[in-house]
Amino acid sequence: MLNDKITELINTQINREFYSAYLYLGFSTWFEDTGLTGFANWYNVQVQEERDHAMLFLKYLQNNGGRPSLQTIECPKQNFENPRQLLEATMEHEKYVTRLIHDIYNTAFEEKDFRTMQFLDWFVKEQGEEEKNAEDLIKRWDLFGGDPKSLYMLDNELTSRIYTAPSLVL
Ligand code: MG
């Protein structure tokens, strides 16, 4: 059984992960409108991963005597001037999610909730990958975004990202 503090934090995290999916759905739409369909695809895969994260937290709650309480999902910002702004927003958002995961981890540690700590280990590692991916996109944009031919090739490469189910199974 999870205590009330952990239950509340995980319920909030379900909402934040669905917000992440919604945020990136907006990004995917923005890139689609701009004609950068590879970037749109990349973010569309990200949407599916974020939904998976939300479902993993939900399932973890259910498996441990907790009751999911669904909250309103905030409307994300959808107006941007240029692609780099979305890439920067991705980096900022992932850093924020990392802080959220670390906060839950820290509370689990204080509460001696070792099961939740073990569950969160996967997410701690996952956030490292998310931040790296976001950083790589910014670097590559700065290298190739200014030249139409290079940008075409970069965008084309991003069409190949495919969704794979998370390695964490509950
Ligand atoms: Mg996530």
Side-chain angles (χ1 to χ4, degrees), residues 11 37 49 72 168:
N11 260 320
T37 52
E49 285 197 359
T72 304
L168 177 65

PDB file of all heavy atoms in Angstrom, residues 11 37 49 72 168:
ATOM      1  N   ASN A  11      -0.447  10.666  -8.494  1.00  0.00           N
ATOM      2  CA  ASN A  11      -1.629  11.177  -9.202  1.00  0.00           C
ATOM      3  C   ASN A  11      -1.294  12.438  -9.988  1.00  0.00           C
ATOM      4  O   ASN A  11      -1.715  12.606 -11.132  1.00  0.00           O
ATOM      5  CB  ASN A  11      -2.757  11.474  -8.203  1.00  0.00           C
ATOM      6  CG  ASN A  11      -3.774  10.351  -8.172  1.00  0.00           C
ATOM      7  OD1 ASN A  11      -4.137   9.784  -9.209  1.00  0.00           O
ATOM      8  ND2 ASN A  11      -4.218  10.012  -6.987  1.00  0.00           N
ATOM      9  N   THR A  37       7.696  17.580 -41.787  1.00  0.00           N
ATOM     10  CA  THR A  37       6.933  16.385 -41.404  1.00  0.00           C
ATOM     11  C   THR A  37       7.781  15.356 -40.649  1.00  0.00           C
ATOM     12  O   THR A  37       7.235  14.528 -39.923  1.00  0.00           O
ATOM     13  CB  THR A  37       6.289  15.726 -42.645  1.00  0.00           C
ATOM     14  OG1 THR A  37       7.321  15.538 -43.626  1.00  0.00           O
ATOM     15  CG2 THR A  37       5.208  16.611 -43.239  1.00  0.00           C
ATOM     16  N   GLU A  49       5.051   8.002 -26.300  1.00  0.00           N
ATOM     17  CA  GLU A  49       5.889   7.650 -25.142  1.00  0.00           C
ATOM     18  C   GLU A  49       5.357   8.295 -23.862  1.00  0.00           C
ATOM     19  O   GLU A  49       5.345   7.673 -22.800  1.00  0.00           O
ATOM     20  CB  GLU A  49       7.344   8.106 -25.373  1.00  0.00           C
ATOM     21  CG  GLU A  49       8.089   7.229 -26.349  1.00  0.00           C
ATOM     22  CD  GLU A  49       9.606   7.417 -26.250  1.00  0.00           C
ATOM     23  OE1 GLU A  49      10.061   8.252 -25.437  1.00  0.00           O
ATOM     24  OE2 GLU A  49      10.321   6.719 -26.988  1.00  0.00           O
ATOM     25  N   THR A  72      -7.803  17.923 -14.621  1.00  0.00           N
ATOM     26  CA  THR A  72      -7.847  18.666 -15.884  1.00  0.00           C
ATOM     27  C   THR A  72      -6.439  18.788 -16.476  1.00  0.00           C
ATOM     28  O   THR A  72      -5.498  19.083 -15.748  1.00  0.00           O
ATOM     29  CB  THR A  72      -8.396  20.089 -15.644  1.00  0.00           C
ATOM     30  OG1 THR A  72      -9.667  19.968 -15.012  1.00  0.00           O
ATOM     31  CG2 THR A  72      -8.535  20.876 -16.938  1.00  0.00           C
ATOM     32  N   LEU A 168       9.871  -0.950 -19.558  1.00  0.00           N
ATOM     33  CA  LEU A 168       9.344  -1.209 -18.215  1.00  0.00           C
ATOM     34  C   LEU A 168       7.954  -1.826 -18.327  1.00  0.00           C
ATOM     35  O   LEU A 168       7.059  -1.279 -18.944  1.00  0.00           O
ATOM     36  CB  LEU A 168       9.257   0.092 -17.436  1.00  0.00           C
ATOM     37  CG  LEU A 168       8.661   0.030 -16.026  1.00  0.00           C
ATOM     38  CD1 LEU A 168       9.546  -0.804 -15.099  1.00  0.00           C
ATOM     39  CD2 LEU A 168       8.466   1.412 -15.453  1.00  0.00           C
TER      40      LEU A 168
END
